[in-house]
């Protein structure tokens, strides 16, 4: 792994490192079962939460420094920027490829038009064995059988989580749902 990534990984809490390692393990299995690029899957897994522990003001400042555009949803909840920031870090280091960067960028919100690698990361982040919620085991099993069905199920589970907590859906999440349902979605 690139020294800069190792450094960023080593700055994370042990809890975050263990989560990342579990996501990588799921990504490796998904890559093997669904014939995805294993190296890209590993890199996406390792990269996805590298910016997750930056404080909210730091995330906003880093997004600004990197020239990332973002909307009112990210201003209201800067944690949503941890994927785009980490994706840009890897891109700026020429690590990975557009599928890896897309996977990392959208691993929290999902989005329309995701590659199989991006769908795999969205699923892996949601079903890794450290997650504790009813149905997690079944979703993980489904992921190894049918990635598309698992992506849809994890996306719906994410929406249910947001609704139960009275949290807004990100427009990208809305777009991903519309794509699943075969309908058009135009953000306001």
């Amino acid at each position: 792994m690139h020294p800069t990534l190792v450094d960023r990984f080593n700055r994370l809490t042990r809890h975050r490192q263990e989560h990342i390692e579990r996501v990588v393990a799921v990504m490796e299995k998904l890559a093997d079962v669904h014939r995805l690029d294993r190296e890209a899957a590993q890199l996406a897994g390792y990269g996805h939460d590298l910016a997750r522990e930056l404080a909210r003001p730091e995330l906003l400042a880093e997004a600004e420094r990197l020239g990332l555009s973002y909307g009112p949803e990210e201003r209201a909840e800067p944690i949503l920027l941890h994927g785009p920031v980490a994706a840009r870090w890897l891109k700026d280091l020429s690590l990975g490829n557009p599928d890896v960067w897309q996977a990392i960028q959208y691993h929290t919100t999902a989005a329309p038009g995701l590659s199989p690698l991006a769908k795999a990361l969205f699923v892996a982040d949601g079903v890794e064995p450290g997650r504790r919620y009813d149905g997690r085991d079944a979703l993980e099993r489904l992921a190894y059988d049918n990635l598309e069905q698992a992506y849809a199920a994890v996306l719906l589970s994410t929406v249910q989580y947001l609704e139960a907590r009275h949290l807004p859906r990100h427009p990208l999440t809305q777009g991903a749902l519309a794509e699943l349902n075969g309908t058009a979605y135009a953000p306001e």
Side-chain angles (χ1 to χ4, degrees):
M1 196 166 21
H2 191 279
T4 302
L5 294 187
V6 171
D7 180 56
R8 290 196 186 280
F9 181 82
N10 288 336
R11 291 184 200 180
L12 299 170
T13 62
R14 188 68 201 141
H15 170 78
R16 185 71 48 201
Q17 291 174 350
E18 290 170 353
H19 163 70
I20 288 171
E21 289 166 348
R22 289 189 301 266
V23 169
V24 170
V26 173
M27 286 295 285
E28 289 170 341
K29 290 178 192 173
L30 290 173
D32 292 346
V33 169
H34 299 295
R35 297 188 176 133
L36 303 174
D37 181 320
R38 197 169 207 271
E39 191 173 308
Q42 290 170 328
L43 185 57
Y46 274 113
H48 86 283
D49 266 0
L50 290 178
R52 179 60 180 83
E53 292 182 350
L54 292 178
R56 285 167 168 81
E58 290 176 285
L59 277 166
L60 288 167
E62 186 66 0
E64 292 287 335
R65 186 187 75 75
L66 295 169
L68 299 176
S69 60
Y70 56 88
E73 298 81 14
E74 290 83 7
R75 271 190 287 287
E77 184 47 83
I79 293 300
L80 294 170
L81 290 168
H82 79 276
V85 165
R88 183 60 178 273
W89 286 346
L90 268 70
K91 184 176 182 181
D92 287 352
L93 292 168
S94 298
L95 293 174
N97 58 46
D99 282 346
V100 170
W101 306 326
Q102 179 195 64
I104 294 170
Q105 180 169 350
Y106 298 118
H107 82 272
T108 302
T109 59
L114 292 183
S115 69
L117 183 71
K119 290 177 180 180
L121 183 59
F122 184 80
V123 169
D125 191 37
V127 304
E128 63 90 349
R131 300 283 191 199
R132 302 279 186 247
Y133 61 90
D134 289 342
R136 188 214 62 83
D137 292 346
L139 287 175
E140 184 180 8
R141 285 191 304 275
L142 179 60
Y144 301 127
D145 291 335
N146 188 311
L147 183 59
E148 289 295 324
Q149 287 180 9
Y151 170 71
V154 172
L155 183 58
L156 293 172
S157 175
T158 300
V159 168
Q160 290 169 349
Y161 172 89
L162 294 171
E163 288 174 353
R165 284 153 187 79
H166 306 288
L167 297 170
R169 294 182 197 172
H170 193 283
L172 292 169
T173 308
Q174 286 290 103
L177 279 172
E179 181 180 65
L180 280 182
N181 295 324
T183 60
Y185 172 74
E188 296 174 14

